[in-house]
């Protein structure tokens, strides 16, 4: 049995599946801001009778997530507000946008995104696939997606573009999706688990938490947030 | 409701820890109000290291979202009176980015 010192940052397909189901369960109970992930099975050889050969592959799916950022409506764009007439009843400093008062301007279409977490047999790590579209179903191009997602907000310098997002055929759906390329995953997964100063974890713990830790990093790129209490909920 | 006085805002001790190839900071420990977002820690690191791209994580194999409050991170992952924040520079990860498109990494 391999110990954690030799761990290369990857997981087996079986551990991916176990981890994915556990991740989906935790997400459902502790991340109610979002709808739950579903496991979509993709039987490789459904015609084979033998159960040993019947490997259940599959992926996690989270679909129809609205990624459009709310815009403030300029009710009257042309008139200038007299500063003297401004409401001064709100004395608190408002750092965050009050969602209750934001309305989608009808000039802006809503954009949605489907996210799939798929296992890569080549890299032996999970891979995030995504596909974005308008409410009328028109697929969004990468530069349109980039505008919506937090990693590409205007605060970031122009150099921080998505270097590692590529368009590829979805391994199960056989349609073009975008994916976050997995080749650096094993490196940052090793860092996540072995880079801290609290001593080396047990390998079983690593495998159990793998999807969760992976997603804490990758999810930020696409604006899917894991609340920290999800990580702390350990059996 | 009375305004909070500065002394009533709980501060969290943060210890920044270099991992991998990352440079070690001269000032690696500081206090930050618990009500601040983790984004402030990340921005501080970026300015100190003069790098836009960092990989930042806490000891429990978790990369915190920048919107998390420091006090929540401390409550969940703090130990021994402080929150240890590990950081690594993109050098570990850029080797493969350079082989792809040669554009710099997006911040995690």
């Amino acid at each position: 049995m391999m110990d954690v010192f030799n761990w290369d940052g990857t997981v087996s397909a079986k551990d991916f599946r176990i981890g994915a189901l556990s991740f989906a369960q935790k997400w459902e109970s502790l991340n109610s801001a979002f709808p739950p992930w579903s496991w979509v099975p993709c039987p490789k050889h459904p015609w084979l009778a033998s159960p040993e050969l019947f490997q259940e592959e599959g992926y996690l799916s989270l679909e129809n997530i609205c990624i459009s950022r709310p815009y403030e409506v300029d009710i009257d764009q042309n008139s200038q507000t007299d500063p003297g007439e401004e409401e001064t009843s709100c004395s608190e400093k408002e750092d965050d946008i009050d969602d209750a008062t934001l309305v989608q301007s009808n000039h802006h279409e809503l954009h949605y995104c489907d996210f799939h977490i798929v296992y890569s047999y080549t890299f032996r790590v999970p891979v995030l696939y995504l596909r974005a579209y308008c409410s009328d179903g028109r697929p969004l191009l990468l530069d349109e997606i980039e505008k919506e997602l937090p990693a590409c907000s205007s605060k970031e310098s122009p150099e921080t573009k998505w270097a590692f997002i590529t368009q590829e055929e979805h391994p199960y759906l056989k349609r073009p999706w975008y994916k976050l390329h997995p080749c650096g995953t094993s490196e940052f997964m090793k860092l996540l688990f072995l880079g801290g100063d609290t001593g080396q974890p047990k390998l079983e713990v690593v495998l159990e938490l793998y999807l969760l830790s992976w997603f804490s990093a990758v999810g930020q790129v696409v604006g899917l947030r894991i609340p920290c209490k999800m990580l702390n909920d350990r059996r | 409701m009375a305004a909070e006085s500065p002394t009533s805002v709980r501060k969290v001790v943060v210890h920044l820890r270099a991992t991998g190839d990352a440079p070690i900071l001269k000032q690696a420990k500081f206090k930050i109000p618990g009500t601040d977002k983790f984004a402030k820690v990340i921005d501080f690191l970026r300015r100190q290291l003069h790098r836009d791209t960092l990989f930042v994580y806490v000891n429990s194999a978790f990369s915190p979202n920048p919107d998390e409050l420091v006090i929540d991170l401390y409550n969940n992952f703090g130990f021994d009176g402080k929150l240890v924040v590990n950081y690594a520079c993109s050098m570990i990860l850029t080797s493969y980015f350079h082989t792809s498109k040669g554009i710099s990494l997006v911040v995690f």
Side-chain angles (χ1 to χ4, degrees):
Chain A
M1 174 78 160
M2 185 176 59
D3 68 53
V4 80
F5 293 103
N6 298 325
W7 186 51
D8 62 359
T10 68
V11 286
S12 67
K14 179 176 163 215
D15 287 322
F16 167 77
R17 181 169 178 267
I18 295 170
L21 296 173
S22 155
F23 170 78
Q25 239 174 10
K26 283 195 176 155
W27 176 286
E28 181 160 15
S29 52
L30 296 169
N31 201 9
S32 49
F34 288 99
W37 291 84
S38 4
W39 174 259
V40 180
C42 303
K44 210 163 184 182
H45 304 292
W47 56 87
L48 289 173
S50 165
E52 301 92 64
L53 294 174
F54 184 81
Q55 296 276 338
E56 190 185 281
E57 289 180 22
Y59 59 89
L60 281 175
S61 164
L62 183 68
E63 298 193 347
N64 275 310
I65 303 300
C66 184
I67 55 171
S68 293
R69 285 190 261 182
Y71 293 92
E72 281 185 344
V73 169
D74 293 323
I75 305 243
D76 196 345
Q77 286 177 351
N78 295 322
S79 76
Q80 297 294 321
T81 322
D82 182 339
E85 289 173 18
E86 238 179 67
E87 282 282 314
T88 50
S89 56
C90 178
S91 54
E92 291 167 297
K93 203 165 65 123
E94 263 184 308
D95 289 315
D96 298 305
I97 296 171
D98 178 4
D99 286 341
T101 59
L102 284 173
V103 174
Q104 289 286 346
S105 159
N106 49 20
H107 299 300
H108 294 98
E109 249 183 348
L110 289 182
H111 294 158
Y112 298 89
C113 198
D114 295 343
F115 299 98
H116 289 177
I117 302 177
V118 184
Y119 182 72
S120 161
Y121 283 86
T122 316
F123 291 91
R124 293 174 42 88
V125 294
V127 183
L128 185 68
Y129 281 79
L130 60 113
R131 185 182 83 97
Y133 43 92
C134 298
S135 39
D136 63 3
R138 176 182 73 83
L140 292 181
L141 297 171
L142 189 54
D143 56 354
E144 295 172 283
I145 303 176
E146 284 175 350
K147 287 196 187 103
E148 304 278 16
L149 295 177
C152 313
S153 68
S154 54
K155 282 189 298 181
E156 305 292 328
S157 60
E159 293 84 55
T160 53
K161 273 180 70 68
W162 289 17
F164 56 109
I165 187 161
T166 56
Q167 188 174 43
E168 286 197 18
E169 189 180 80
H170 190 294
Y172 297 107
L173 302 179
K174 306 300 182 193
R175 288 197 299 270
W177 279 59
Y178 291 106
K179 85 173 194 196
L180 265 59
H181 204 280
C183 52
T185 299
S186 61
E187 286 304 312
F188 74 74
M189 290 309 297
K190 272 195 290 192
L191 267 183
L192 274 173
F193 282 105
L194 306 179
D197 68 350
T198 49
Q200 306 299 345
K202 291 201 171 71
L203 190 59
E204 309 91 72
V205 175
V206 168
L207 296 178
E208 186 194 313
L209 296 176
Y210 189 97
L211 249 299
L212 216 45
S213 296
W214 171 81
F215 199 82
S216 73
V218 168
Q220 285 179 48
V221 175
V222 294
L224 295 178
R225 178 176 165 175
I226 296 198
C228 56
K229 60 179 191 270
M230 243 180 100
L231 231 300
N232 227 16
D233 173 58
R234 294 174 199 213
R235 280 169 265 135
Chain B
M1 188 189 279
E4 271 180 315
S5 69
T7 51
S8 69
V9 174
R10 183 181 176 178
K11 290 208 172 187
V12 171
V13 175
V14 174
H15 177 200
L16 298 172
R17 191 172 161 269
T19 63
D21 300 333
I24 299 174
L25 290 174
K26 278 199 181 129
Q27 191 206 344
K29 287 191 179 155
F30 60 94
K31 285 186 183 172
I32 180 176
T35 46
D36 277 357
K37 289 191 178 174
F38 188 63
K40 279 214 168 161
V41 176
I42 300 176
D43 285 343
F44 174 80
L45 264 173
R46 277 165 152 172
R47 286 197 313 271
Q48 294 294 309
L49 299 173
H50 307 293
R51 285 174 196 272
D52 268 342
T53 50
L54 291 173
F55 183 57
V56 182
Y57 56 106
V58 293
N59 278 335
S60 308
F62 179 66
S63 183
N65 190 289
D67 286 336
E68 292 282 1
L69 296 182
V70 172
I71 188 66
D72 289 334
L73 291 175
Y74 173 75
N75 287 334
N76 280 291
F77 306 112
F79 182 75
D80 231 12
K82 61 187 189 295
L83 175 68
V84 174
V85 174
N86 303 294
Y87 60 94
C89 292
S90 58
M91 261 182 289
I92 291 170
L93 306 168
T94 50
S95 53
Y96 82 89
F97 292 129
H98 288 153
T99 61
S100 56
K101 287 183 191 172
I103 309 172
S104 57
L105 174 66
V106 78
V107 176
F108 277 82

